[in-house]
């Protein structure tokens, strides 16, 4: 069991936060009066006091809130807490939604020390139950439910779509079909056919948001701008070739042009990445093929397969 060492808020983004005696965490919003509160997944930021103290030992003169954290927590290595874990802080209940963050511009701490711990050690959460939190309150980690829905992200790759010249019908359908099969779609993106950009988001969604599966649609053909398979191969640790092969085989019974698909499937850490074709019709057919069987693989990947049945 841990405890809250400090509670910090700020009125403006991009600035350090100031310690307060208490804060009200509002369900679905975050800390009232804090600039980072809102209807999104990073409502509250947290940092381990042990990490701050270790940074101080390097000679850094930092106070609680200087890294932009809302809650300083003692007793846990928060960086190792999986996404989906629940944390009771005072009267409030949080759910961890992201591990680490991107550093778009170096802060004053980084400029002075050549390092900053928030991008790699900070975690983020959304508020599930409202309540007040104060320094000294208990902080209790609750394990994620083994039978929780699988999380998914949907990425559409299209130059014209990203430029606003074409409606993204495939991405909309993909999200609709996944939700209809019980998946929690936590993020949707519409990107230009840019390999470094796609690689960046695949890494972010797998490493920081720890989604169970990422589906891409589009960018799998013969055009020089079709780079989805190359980006997927670049970020995966292991391949799951059977999924891409099954989709092609299923589609070949419908159209011979399925042989022209270069789609691949692979795994990064605990996240499965599946390339789908670009048309709405092909997206629907591909999901018809794989969704009845995909849950077993995802359950094995996150270490929960079989637990629901045993229960």
């Amino acid at each position: 069991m841990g405890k809250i060492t400090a509670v910090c808020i700020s009125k403006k983004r991009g600035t350090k936060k100031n310690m307060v005696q208490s804060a009200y965490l509002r369900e679905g919003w975050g800390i009232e009066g804090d600039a980072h509160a809102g209807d999104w997944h990073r409502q509250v930021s947290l940092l381990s006091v042990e990490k701050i103290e270790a940074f101080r030992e390097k000679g850094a003169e930092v106070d609680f809130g200087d890294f932009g954290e809302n809650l300083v927590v003692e007793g846990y290595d928060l960086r190792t807490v999986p996404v989906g874990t629940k944390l009771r802080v005072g009267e409030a209940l949080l759910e961890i939604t992201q591990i680490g963050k991107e550093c778009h511009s170096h802060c004053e701490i980084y400029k002075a020390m050549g390092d900053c711990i928030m991008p790699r050690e900070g975690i983020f959460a959304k508020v599930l139950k409202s309540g007040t939190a104060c320094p000294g309150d208990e902080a209790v980690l609750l394990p994620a439910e083994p039978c929780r829905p699988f999380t998914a992200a949907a990425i559409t790759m299209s130059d014209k779509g990203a430029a606003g010249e074409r409606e993204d019908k495939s991405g909309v359908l993909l999200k609709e079909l996944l939700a209809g099969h019980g998946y929690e779609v936590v993020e949707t993106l519409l990107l230009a056919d840019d390999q470094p950009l796609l690689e960046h988001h695949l890494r972010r969604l797998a490493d920081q948001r720890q989604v169970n599966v990422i589906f891409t649609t589009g960018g799998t053909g013969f055009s020089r701008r079709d780079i989805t398979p190359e980006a997927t191969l670049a970020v995966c640790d292991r391949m799951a070739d059977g999924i891409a092969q099954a989709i092609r085989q299923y589609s070949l019974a419908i159209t011979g042009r399925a042989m022209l698909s270069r789609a691949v499937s692979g795994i990064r850490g605990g996240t499965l990445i599946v390339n789908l074709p670009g048309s709405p019709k092909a997206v629907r057919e591909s999901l018809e093929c794989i969704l009845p069987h995909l849950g077993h693989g995802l359950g094995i990947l996150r270490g929960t397969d079989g637990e629901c049945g045993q229960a």
Side-chain angles (χ1 to χ4, degrees), residues 160-175:
K160 291 184 177 180
E165 300 172 0
R166 176 185 295 168
E167 183 182 357
D168 178 23
K169 296 181 179 180
S170 296
V172 172
L173 177 62
L174 176 55
K175 179 180 179 180

Side-chain angles (χ1 to χ4, degrees), residues 19 25 128 150 171 211 254 264 288:
M19 288 185 284
L25 284 68
L128 299 181
F150 293 117
V211 298
I254 302 169
V264 299
E288 285 176 356

Side-chain angles (χ1 to χ4, degrees), residues 193-209:
D193 292 297
D194 180 282
Q195 184 170 342
L197 180 62
L198 177 55
E199 289 182 20
H200 164 77
H201 283 290
L202 291 175
R203 292 189 181 99
R204 177 183 63 81
L205 289 165
D207 300 347
Q208 295 179 5
R209 301 216 62 185

Side-chain angles (χ1 to χ4, degrees), residues 138-250:
E138 291 182 348
V140 183
L141 284 174
L142 307 173
E145 298 89 347
C147 302
R148 65 192 184 279
F150 293 117
T151 57
I155 303 177
T156 300
M157 300 303 298
S158 170
D159 285 335
K160 291 184 177 180
E165 300 172 0
R166 176 185 295 168
E167 183 182 357
D168 178 23
K169 296 181 179 180
S170 296
V172 172
L173 177 62
L174 176 55
K175 179 180 179 180
E176 177 185 315
L177 293 175
L178 290 173
H181 280 78
Y183 286 78
E184 181 186 354
V185 183
V186 300
E187 193 164 328
T188 59
L189 295 169
L190 174 57
L191 305 177
D193 292 297
D194 180 282
Q195 184 170 342
L197 180 62
L198 177 55
E199 289 182 20
H200 164 77
H201 283 290
L202 291 175
R203 292 189 181 99
R204 177 183 63 81
L205 289 165
D207 300 347
Q208 295 179 5
R209 301 216 62 185
Q210 297 181 357
V211 298
N212 298 125
V213 57
I214 304 170
F215 290 96
T216 68
T217 171
T220 59
F222 282 12
S223 167
R224 290 189 179 275
R225 295 288 294 170
D226 289 336
I227 47 75
T228 303
E230 285 70 29
T232 304
L233 289 167
V235 304
C236 285
D237 308 316
R238 299 178 290 158
M239 300 313 296
D241 296 326
I243 296 173
Q245 292 168 1
I247 292 173
R248 269 189 287 271
Q249 183 177 357
Y250 186 85

